[in-house]
Amino acid sequence: MIQFRVNGIPHRVATADPNLTLLDYLREHAGMRGTKEGCNEGDCGACTVVVSGSAGNHGPAHRATNACIQLVPQMHGKSVLTVEGASGPNGELHPVQEEMISHHGSQCGFCTPGIVMSLVCAHLNRDRDHDRALAGNLCRCTGYAPIVRAAESAALKPAPEWLSECGLDATSEAPAACGDRFLLPANVDELASWYALNPNATLVAGATDVGLWITKRLDDLERICFVGDVPELRCIGTSASEIVVGAAVTVEEFGSFARSIYPGMNSLIQRFGSLQVRNAATVGGNIANGSPIGDLPPAFIALGATLALRKGDRRRTMPLESFFVDYGVQDIAEGEFVEAVRLPRNGSDLRCYKISKRFDQDISAVCGCFNINVEGGVVVSARIAFGGMAATPRRARLVERALTGQPWSERLARSAGRRFSDDFTPISDMRASAAYRLQVARNLLVKTYLETGQAHGSCTLYPNGGAM
């Protein structure tokens, strides 16, 4: 049985279809139609709700989430707040709702509820970065300024008492759940045993990818194992030399944890989908789906990450770059799953750049990550990895070779960059042409030099510290 709360009211679903989205449950089964269906693929934010209660320790207590691509079993043991629950039992408005009205930020009935819920979540978390909070809500019919003014004004007011009465601050005590077509394992050992016996089942962590199989391809998945709350997969472990990130750690949680350790990755993570997507998408999922344009693998490969895999009682590790064999093909056996990724702790030289048509919520045309170590003005090591340049995330080994052992200079960056055409044969598609991708790769290597060369005492282009 699936057990969760909606606006403080317990909901128990005895025979949940594992393909049922939270949005459809709210609208068609719970009679709560304030949450809207817009794009139905996690882009527009019209269906935003607040989900509270999670096994993770590194993210906020309350998470804005796209209900359209979250599946009902994922809500087991959690609390869901919808736009109906944001207001009080006697019709009192939440401060965000009040200020949206007074600042004329409200717009059509499709988009306003989602915008309100994104801001309600930010208000609960005392997050005043409203641009970040609203990046996943695309509509700006009334203009963005009135919405931001409403958010700024609401941030000065306390959270209303009725929200604490909804039980949002406590996770429901719910036992592990299973049905004829799904499992929510209690621990990683149960997951490993079950998946070894059911290798054709679909593993779902955040559903930001699989959710679209259901809503867009209209797939009806026969058996699903929901791994997003497996405690061992939700952990981040550290030692003096490495960081071990569980496969079900969300991208937002990883970004919050790693902000000071890998500062060169911060801008990349902030451009990973939207806040709603980062609150659900997982580190392991972004690797295991094998996408050639996933944003995390190039950064992790540049760091020299290793991947931990498990099948039943057997575990193995491999360099992350070896996991990607060809387009849609990964080095993973039936019944085997990604358990964690291991990252070297020293990543101060890492620089990551995402090139896309939009800043937020867009697919990379090129994602380039550079880990170039310079000592005494000479490149002593280089690891460069790209997404969007080949059928898999891949290293630029010939460029690395051309850099290593040479004085770090703009001239070197430009000459070594010519080898990108030997490392990669990119395709032309709707996001970029092959020629554009190659030119961008060369330019990003020069950009890396311009951002790091002066720190290593070899920058001659701007000797007085002037900016471009």
Side-chain angles (χ1 to χ4, degrees):
M1 177 176 289
I2 303 299
Q3 303 178 45
F4 59 105
R5 292 193 296 268
V6 179
N7 300 331
I9 299 172
H11 284 241
R12 295 177 176 85
V13 185
T15 57
D17 176 0
N19 296 272
L20 179 64
T21 67
L22 176 59
L23 174 63
D24 285 345
Y25 176 82
L26 292 173
R27 293 182 58 82
E28 306 302 329
H29 297 267
M32 299 178 188
R33 296 185 172 86
T35 307
K36 306 301 183 184
E37 178 182 316
C39 66
N40 211 23
E41 58 186 36
D43 279 340
C44 74
C47 66
T48 300
V49 297
V50 179
V51 176
S52 305
S54 172
N57 297 316
H58 305 287
H62 313 288
R63 296 174 288 126
T65 307
N66 292 309
C68 69
I69 54 172
Q70 293 291 284
L71 306 177
V72 167
Q74 292 176 273
M75 298 301 109
H76 186 60
K78 299 182 176 69
S79 293
V80 178
L81 182 69
T82 72
V83 70
E84 292 93 342
S87 56
N90 298 316
E92 309 97 323
L93 294 181
H94 188 281
V96 167
Q97 295 169 315
E98 288 181 337
E99 299 305 323
M100 283 285 283
I101 294 170
S102 62
H103 287 85
H104 308 290
S106 58
Q107 34 202 8
C108 84
F110 262 81
C111 297
T112 302
I115 290 172
V116 165
M117 293 313 296
S118 289
L119 293 178
V120 165
C121 188
H123 192 271
L124 281 166
N125 290 326
R126 299 186 178 129
D127 180 0
R128 298 197 179 188
D129 187 346
H130 303 307
D131 285 335
R132 189 177 80 100
L134 290 168
N137 299 87
L138 296 187
C139 189
R140 302 286 189 267
C141 291
T142 60
Y144 192 34
I147 299 171
V148 172
R149 284 195 289 268
E152 291 172 342
S153 182
L156 302 176
K157 299 181 178 180
E161 293 182 1
W162 61 80
L163 289 189
S164 61
E165 295 172 1
C166 285
L168 295 180
D169 294 327
T171 303
S172 301
E173 291 297 329
C178 64
D180 293 338
R181 297 173 57 189
F182 71 91
L183 172 72
L184 282 87
N187 53 59
V188 72
D189 290 336
E190 183 180 0
L191 162 61
S193 298
W194 185 90
Y195 193 44
L197 296 174
N198 297 273
N200 294 322
T202 302
L203 300 186
V204 173
T208 55
D209 190 7
V210 174
L212 273 71
W213 301 0
I214 294 169
T215 63
K216 294 302 179 183
R217 293 192 334 205
L218 305 182
D219 287 1
D220 185 16
L221 303 177
E222 286 297 323
R223 292 180 72 77
I224 302 178
C225 185
F226 293 94
V227 303
D229 288 318
V230 174
E232 297 92 336
L233 302 186
R234 300 280 289 133
C235 293
I236 300 177
T238 63
S239 70
S241 60
E242 71 173 4
I243 297 170
V244 182
V245 184
V249 171
T250 70
V251 173
E252 183 67 14
E253 289 167 343
F254 172 72
S256 298
F257 174 84
R259 186 174 294 121
S260 61
I261 301 170
Y262 307 117
M265 207 187 298
N266 289 340
S267 62
L268 176 66
I269 291 176
Q270 288 304 308
R271 296 186 59 192
F272 188 112
S274 63
L275 182 58
Q276 289 97 317
V277 170
R278 294 193 300 274
N279 278 335
T282 63
V283 170
N286 198 237
I287 295 170
N289 68 10
S291 171
I293 49 176
D295 286 334
L296 294 182
F300 290 172
I301 290 171
L303 282 171
T306 58
L307 198 61
L309 300 166
R310 179 170 177 179
K311 179 178 180 178
D313 294 331
R314 298 190 301 274
R315 289 182 168 93
R316 65 182 176 121
T317 61
M318 69 171 72
L320 177 57
E321 62 202 85
S322 300
F323 178 71
F324 304 101
V325 178
D326 201 347
Y327 182 77
V329 180
Q330 295 83 49
D331 182 4
I332 191 166
E334 284 193 348
E336 190 173 38
F337 61 93
V338 176
E339 193 169 26
V341 59
R342 296 176 176 272
L343 304 173
R345 195 177 184 92
N346 183 12
S348 59
D349 293 317
L350 181 68
R351 298 289 187 278
C352 298
Y353 308 102
K354 176 172 178 172
I355 308 300
S356 59
K357 294 182 179 181
R358 291 197 312 258
F359 185 89
D360 294 297
Q361 289 207 86
D362 204 359
I363 296 171
S364 295
V366 176
C367 179
C369 299
F370 302 79
N371 190 10
I372 300 173
N373 180 242
V374 180
E375 295 180 5
V378 175
V379 178
V380 296
S381 66
R383 290 183 65 95
I384 299 172
F386 274 84
M389 294 285 283
T392 64
R394 267 182 39 195
R395 284 174 66 181
R397 292 183 179 274
L398 295 177
V399 175
E400 293 172 0
R401 194 177 305 162
L403 291 170
T404 304
Q406 301 299 315
W408 187 217
S409 66
E410 182 179 352
R411 176 176 295 180
L412 175 65
R414 292 189 182 278
S415 64
R418 300 190 189 104
R419 302 302 303 273
F420 278 122
S421 57
D422 299 321
D423 276 314
F424 300 114
T425 307
I427 64 170
S428 296
D429 58 21
M430 62 184 297
R431 285 183 289 276
S433 68
Y436 175 83
R437 287 183 160 105
L438 284 171
Q439 186 61 58
V440 164
R442 297 182 185 116
N443 291 349
L444 290 178
L445 181 56
V446 175
K447 180 181 176 71
T448 301
Y449 166 74
L450 294 175
E451 291 186 349
T452 64
Q454 190 171 17
H456 295 293
S458 58
C459 182
T460 58
L461 192 58
Y462 300 104
N464 297 317
M468 291 181 68

